Amino acid sequence: MSLFLASFIFISLILVLYKLIFYPFFLSPLRHLPQGRGFWPIVGHAWILFQRPAGQPHLNMMKDVENDGVILTRGVFHTDRLIITSPAALADVLVHKSYDMEKPPWARAFLRKFLGDGLLMTEGDEHKHHRKQILPAFRFRHIKELYPVFWSKSIEFCEAVKSALKEDTSQVLEIGHYSTQVTLDIIGLAGLGRDIGSLRNSDDELIRNYEEILEPTTEKAVYFLLHLIMPPWLIGMLPWRLNERVRVTTANLKRICTDFVAQKKLKMKNESQESVDILSIMIRSNDFSDDNLVDQLLTFLAAGLVQNTTWSFAG
């Protein structure tokens, strides 16, 4: 038993040293890239996820560190993390070589809670198939037909801001809140064929659930960070109120989107003119099951909203 314990401790020590020191600083193929400043032992650069405004530390790093499109940072336990800084590098990651750069399994497992198995979560041939079926909804001719939607909601957005400034024109508005609302309204009309009206009314159930998920808090940043270093099943077992809120809000969102799909199918049976929203096009293609339609809706709604929020996970 003594020999076993000694061997176990020795091997564990070697593994820890390899993971924390030998691999990241002497063996990693990325170790020669320009590195961001502000490294802390064990936590690496992960502490910048908690800085506000979100994204500002990354922007400062991009300006301060000379680079050729890529900056190396360290995550928790010194894992390699890259910041892409040039349009050419972004094009490689997002377009030219996108299928060579799959999302990490932990990230997919975490995001699947909120997005289901939509376009954002699939990889490889499955992603190619879904992308091919959805692509007609994003062709230029179809997008051009949606111009009136974009324009009318932009005007409504300006009126909402104007109304908020009516009493005190010198006050500072949190524009992210309004941009999130107008984005949700545009996605509602262009994607679902439904006017959610969040600029006029923030009491909608869909809006409340998304605002609860996307509201930037330190607790949610910790929740995300723990998913980097702990298995999801273990986090789910913790007596944490946020675990229950995540389960409730994600279940609500899935139920709401399921109702959207059912209502849209019923409406399409009686419509005299074909709708041009994305959901209608996907339903008419007959290539998506009801469950997959729900997952795609969750993806469209969340992807649009995350671009317009100061969500702490965005780091």
Side-chain angles (χ1 to χ4, degrees):
M1 181 59 70
S2 298
L3 179 61
F4 171 78
L5 290 175
S7 300
F8 178 78
I9 294 173
F10 177 74
I11 293 174
S12 298
L13 180 61
I14 292 298
L15 289 175
V16 169
L17 291 175
Y18 176 81
K19 184 175 180 63
L20 294 181
I21 300 176
F22 295 135
Y23 180 81
F25 297 106
F26 298 101
L27 300 176
S28 171
L30 305 176
R31 67 187 184 278
H32 300 299
L33 291 172
Q35 299 189 33
R37 300 183 180 90
F39 171 83
W40 288 6
I42 306 299
V43 298
H45 296 88
W47 59 272
I48 65 178
L49 294 175
F50 298 92
Q51 290 189 309
R52 294 293 177 271
Q56 187 63 46
H58 301 79
L59 180 59
N60 294 339
M61 197 176 293
M62 291 165 61
K63 292 179 178 180
D64 296 339
V65 179
E66 292 187 9
N67 65 89
D68 193 26
V70 180
I71 296 175
L72 173 65
T73 64
R74 307 284 184 185
V76 178
F77 299 138
H78 305 170
T79 52
D80 293 335
R81 295 286 186 270
L82 299 179
I83 298 178
I84 308 302
T85 65
S86 71
L90 281 172
D92 278 342
V93 172
L94 300 177
V95 182
H96 305 310
K97 300 178 182 179
S98 59
Y99 288 105
D100 294 332
M101 303 183 188
E102 294 187 356
K103 292 174 284 295
W106 69 264
R108 295 173 64 188
F110 178 77
L111 292 174
R112 189 173 284 113
K113 294 181 179 182
F114 309 96
L115 307 180
D117 286 307
L119 189 65
L120 190 61
M121 291 297 98
T122 55
E123 300 284 357
D125 292 338
E126 186 180 4
H127 182 275
K128 291 179 181 178
H129 174 73
H130 285 172
R131 183 174 179 270
K132 181 180 179 181
Q133 301 305 324
I134 296 176
L135 190 60
F138 293 92
R139 287 176 179 163
F140 174 73
R141 180 178 296 178
H142 175 63
I143 297 300
K144 190 174 181 180
E145 293 175 345
L146 295 173
Y147 282 1
V149 172
F150 304 151
W151 182 256
S152 63
K153 286 300 177 182
S154 297
I155 296 298
E156 194 172 329
F157 167 77
C158 293
E159 291 297 326
V161 173
K162 181 180 178 181
S163 177
L165 292 171
K166 190 174 182 179
E167 295 183 0
D168 182 7
T169 57
S170 64
Q171 67 174 308
V172 177
L173 292 182
E174 175 50 65
I175 201 67
H177 172 71
Y178 292 94
S179 62
T180 297
Q181 288 182 319
V182 72
T183 302
L184 188 58
D185 281 357
I186 290 174
I187 292 175
L189 280 172
L192 285 68
R194 169 177 172 172
D195 189 0
I196 297 173
S198 62
L199 283 167
R200 303 186 302 271
N201 173 30
S202 60
D203 291 332
D204 187 278
E205 185 180 13
L206 178 66
I207 300 169
R208 290 200 307 271
N209 281 277
Y210 265 116
E211 285 185 342
E212 181 173 353
I213 289 177
L214 297 178
E215 180 188 9
T217 64
T218 302
E219 184 182 22
K220 289 174 185 173
V222 172
Y223 181 75
F224 172 72
L225 189 61
L226 286 178
H227 278 79
L228 296 176
I229 58 179
M230 297 172 62
W233 62 266
L234 181 58
I235 298 174
M237 293 176 62
L238 297 176
W240 195 353
R241 180 178 175 275
L242 187 56
N243 276 326
E244 180 60 25
R245 293 311 306 162
V246 167
R247 282 191 286 267
V248 170
T249 52
T250 52
N252 288 340
L253 290 173
K254 190 164 187 176
R255 173 181 53 79
I256 293 169
C257 288
T258 300
D259 292 341
F260 282 169
V261 171
Q263 293 169 11
K264 173 57 69 174
K265 284 190 169 184
L266 183 62
K267 183 179 179 180
M268 289 175 64
K269 291 181 180 179
N270 303 318
E271 65 183 7
S272 56
Q273 184 178 0
E274 288 189 349
S275 301
V276 296
D277 58 88
I278 296 172
L279 179 57
S280 297
I281 292 175
M282 289 195 297
I283 291 175
R284 284 197 295 269
S285 72
N286 292 320
D287 288 313
F288 299 92
S289 65
D290 286 357
D291 288 341
N292 197 243
L293 285 171
V294 170
D295 289 339
Q296 302 299 347
L297 287 187
L298 288 170
T299 298
F300 293 150
L301 288 167
L305 290 172
V306 168
Q307 290 178 353
N308 292 280
T309 185
T310 54
W311 193 19
S312 49
F313 300 164

